Amino acid sequence: MSFQWQLLLTYSLLIIILVIALGTSFFLYTSNVFESNAYSNLEVITDKMLEQFDKHIIPMDLVTTYLLSDKDIISSISSLATIERINIESNRFITEAQKTIHSALLSYGIDKNFYRVSFINRNGDFLTSNFRILSIRKDLETAIGELEWLELADSLKGRKTIIPPYLDPWPTSDNIKVFGLVRAVIGINGSMGYIEVQSPYSELEKIFSLPKEEGINVVVVTDRGEILYHNGIKQLDMLEYYSQLDISDDNKPTVIKNPKTGVDEIIVGAASDYTGIKVILIQDKSILIKPLLFTGNIAIMVGVLVIIISVICIYFLSKRLTKPIKELKEKMEATELDNLPQEIKFSSSNKEIESITRSFQRLRARLNESIQNEIKSRELQMQASFDSLQAQVNPHFIYNTLNVLANKGIETGDDEICEICDSIAAMLRYSTSTLKRYATIKDELEHVSNYLLLMKKRFEHRLVFNIDVDNEILDQVLPKIVLQHIVENSINHGFEKKQERMNIEIIGYRKGDCWHIEINDNGDGFDDKVLTEIKEKLNEMKSELEILDYKSGFQIGGMGLINTYARLMLFFKGTVTFEIKNNVQGGASVIIEAPMRIQEEEALNNDTNYYN
């Protein structure tokens, strides 16, 4: 990927992350503020409704208190409750009592401020303040007996109670929906009558109604759990569910999943200490946050627009910034051996690019000088090789040549050349040494390490190796160049079909009276057919070694696994274990076990017998 595209992708990704982070933060902040304001608005509406309802009920309550505080009215109510109606002489007292109560009800204040204030009792007396609008029913005793709130008013013993909306029972026509406040007049023997203050249902609608477009349901419940008002909820089970909601005193909004519809709803409720009613506001949360979707869409469009503009700007800026680098790249790609001495002419307003250009120019000069020296060195090397072939010189000249290359690496500051030369020299010195043909496990591991280091230079990160051998077995002796060829076989054949990382592991430890070395890899392993053939050849080789006199000059050709096994069998006189297998988790393993009895003196004797 070019540097320009790296700049473009890096800064574009940064802009995208910033825009998403800022946009998300803005949306979350806006959502919180919006929801908080909406919740506050619902709380204010609830409190306002309660306040207005209390203000409407207070005069209704006061008029009952006013009437009950008048001793003449109380006396008249008591008379109507106690006088026997069958006595004709009592009619005058009954009429006087009714007149007293009726006069109080027909006062200007009551007539002006209330729809209807009535006094009734179970004896069939009905006295009301409102005769002008509608005519009163004649069957009053029946109408009074049908009133559902009588028992409730008796049980409250003079305390006020709010009666949910009902049809006004007193007119003879035109069903009018009203709600009321009722208070029983308590005497020595119980209720002597009832004062009923009615108000039109339209007053509830004025107090509790909300515009339909706001999508808010209103449910008003009395302290007895009866529905006082709702704004059009038709399902009875929904009304019952809302009426039974537990409304806390803190009037804080809560989000509750409606078990009937499965919709998340915002519930705000408050209760009046004065009247005992509960006002519950219900709003679908999805409707509440619907305006936020528009804000979110606007924020997304603005964010996308900012990203597009930013990416376009970054593209042109990165193109301008990387233009000198591209020109320098073209100069580098045009560099040939014949133009190394030439000076590069390159102009740029970027000081860093100018500095890189000067450094590249100096690198060209050093490279040209190194190439000339290398050419001279190769000429000398070729001459030395020719002379070496002619005179069959000692291999020490190869080591000197490697030392020369290593010195050149030191001169040019290339440490890898030095490491490679040192590893090759060590391997050549180890493999060509004729002083002795056996080695300790320590020597073998050093030789394998040099080989793996060279392979590491070739495969780089694709090759990983680990050597873990106990110090207790390092002085044990075995034929030279055994472990390296097993490792070489793993690298050359175990990873022919795999391009993933190569893991080579050499572990060693003492196992009873034997030393144990295991070479593992994570390659393809042995094909079942190939593994079977190798094991058959190992058995054949073992049989041949048992019947042949290896002192007579048994020939061992090649350096494969079979021949490695033969060398081990000859050296250890058949007491070695050589196992080849596939690992369950993948790859192959080669295991060598031999007795700990072999020491250097015995190995020297074996070495003499082996190679005679």
Side-chain angles (χ1 to χ4, degrees), residues 73-103:
I73 295 177
I74 294 297
S75 177
S76 298
I77 292 174
S78 178
S79 297
L80 292 176
T82 57
I83 293 177
E84 294 183 2
R85 303 297 176 104
I86 59 174
N87 190 343
I88 298 176
E89 296 179 357
S90 301
N91 290 339
R92 181 171 61 86
F93 298 103
I94 292 174
T95 302
E96 288 292 333
Q98 290 177 342
K99 183 177 179 181
T100 301
I101 297 172
H102 202 191
S103 298

Side-chain angles (χ1 to χ4, degrees), residues 248-313:
S248 58
D249 296 334
D250 55 7
N251 189 24
K252 296 298 181 184
T254 56
V255 178
I256 301 176
K257 182 181 288 295
N258 191 313
K260 308 292 184 182
T261 62
V263 175
D264 287 337
E265 295 177 333
I266 301 169
I267 306 296
V268 180
S272 170
D273 294 333
Y274 178 68
T275 60
I277 70 160
K278 294 187 296 184
V279 177
I280 305 171
L281 301 187
I282 307 103
Q283 186 169 26
D284 189 337
K285 189 176 181 181
S286 61
I287 297 177
L288 176 66
I289 64 175
K290 189 174 182 179
L292 289 175
L293 299 178
F294 177 76
T295 304
N297 292 333
I298 294 297
I300 291 173
M301 289 189 290
V302 171
V304 171
L305 183 62
V306 169
I307 291 173
I308 293 174
I309 295 174
S310 300
V311 170
I312 293 174
C313 294

Side-chain angles (χ1 to χ4, degrees), residues 235-488:
Q235 298 89 344
L236 295 178
D237 57 340
M238 293 294 291
L239 284 174
E240 182 179 1
Y241 163 70
Y242 290 135
S243 66
Q244 294 176 356
L245 287 175
D246 184 18
I247 303 302
S248 58
D249 296 334
D250 55 7
N251 189 24
K252 296 298 181 184
T254 56
V255 178
I256 301 176
K257 182 181 288 295
N258 191 313
K260 308 292 184 182
T261 62
V263 175
D264 287 337
E265 295 177 333
I266 301 169
I267 306 296
V268 180
S272 170
D273 294 333
Y274 178 68
T275 60
I277 70 160
K278 294 187 296 184
V279 177
I280 305 171
L281 301 187
I282 307 103
Q283 186 169 26
D284 189 337
K285 189 176 181 181
S286 61
I287 297 177
L288 176 66
I289 64 175
K290 189 174 182 179
L292 289 175
L293 299 178
F294 177 76
T295 304
N297 292 333
I298 294 297
I300 291 173
M301 289 189 290
V302 171
V304 171
L305 183 62
V306 169
I307 291 173
I308 293 174
I309 295 174
S310 300
V311 170
I312 293 174
C313 294
I314 292 171
Y315 172 77
F316 287 106
L317 289 175
S318 62
K319 187 175 182 180
R320 180 178 178 182
L321 289 173
T322 56
K323 183 178 180 181
I325 298 177
K326 291 181 179 179
E327 294 180 10
L328 181 59
K329 176 186 175 184
E330 294 173 357
K331 297 288 184 181
M332 290 180 176
E333 292 178 347
T335 299
E336 303 289 346
L337 290 176
D338 55 353
N339 62 12
L340 277 177
Q342 298 177 4
E343 183 179 355
I344 296 178
K345 294 182 179 180
F346 184 80
S347 60
S348 174
S349 59
N350 192 314
K351 293 183 179 180
E352 287 76 11
I353 298 298
E354 292 179 358
S355 177
I356 294 174
T357 303
R358 290 192 295 269
S359 299
F360 179 59
Q361 184 64 48
R362 290 193 292 270
L363 177 63
R364 284 164 56 102
R366 291 195 301 271
L367 181 61
N368 182 59
E369 182 180 355
S370 299
I371 290 175
Q372 297 302 322
N373 293 336
E374 184 67 21
I375 291 174
K376 293 178 182 180
S377 175
R378 287 191 178 186
E379 291 176 353
L380 294 174
Q381 236 179 1
M382 291 176 65
Q383 183 64 40
S385 299
F386 181 73
D387 294 341
S388 175
L389 290 173
Q390 285 184 332
Q392 295 183 353
V393 295
N394 192 287
H396 285 293
F397 282 99
I398 297 176
Y399 303 142
N400 293 335
T401 302
L402 290 173
N403 288 333
V404 170
L405 291 177
N407 291 332
K408 289 298 181 181
I410 294 174
E411 292 176 2
T412 59
D414 195 336
D415 294 334
E416 286 193 359
I417 292 179
C418 299
E419 293 175 5
I420 293 172
C421 290
D422 290 341
S423 297
I424 294 174
M427 291 185 67
L428 288 174
R429 188 177 297 109
Y430 181 78
S431 59
T432 59
S433 174
T434 58
L435 295 177
K436 55 182 180 179
R437 290 181 175 85
Y438 67 90
T440 63
I441 292 176
K442 179 179 180 182
D443 296 333
E444 277 288 278
L445 293 176
E446 290 179 356
H447 182 64
V448 171
S449 296
N450 287 325
Y451 172 74
L452 288 172
L453 287 172
L454 288 173
M455 292 299 99
K456 182 73 174 178
K457 301 299 181 183
R458 174 186 174 188
F459 294 104
E460 297 180 344
H461 64 279
R462 284 195 59 226
L463 176 61
V464 176
F465 64 91
N466 177 49
I467 299 175
D468 184 12
V469 178
D470 292 344
N471 294 332
E472 188 177 3
I473 67 171
L474 291 179
D475 62 344
Q476 295 298 303
V477 181
L478 73 165
K480 291 176 66 174
I481 316 177
V482 170
L483 301 182
Q484 183 236 320
H485 285 294
I486 297 174
V487 172
E488 184 177 5

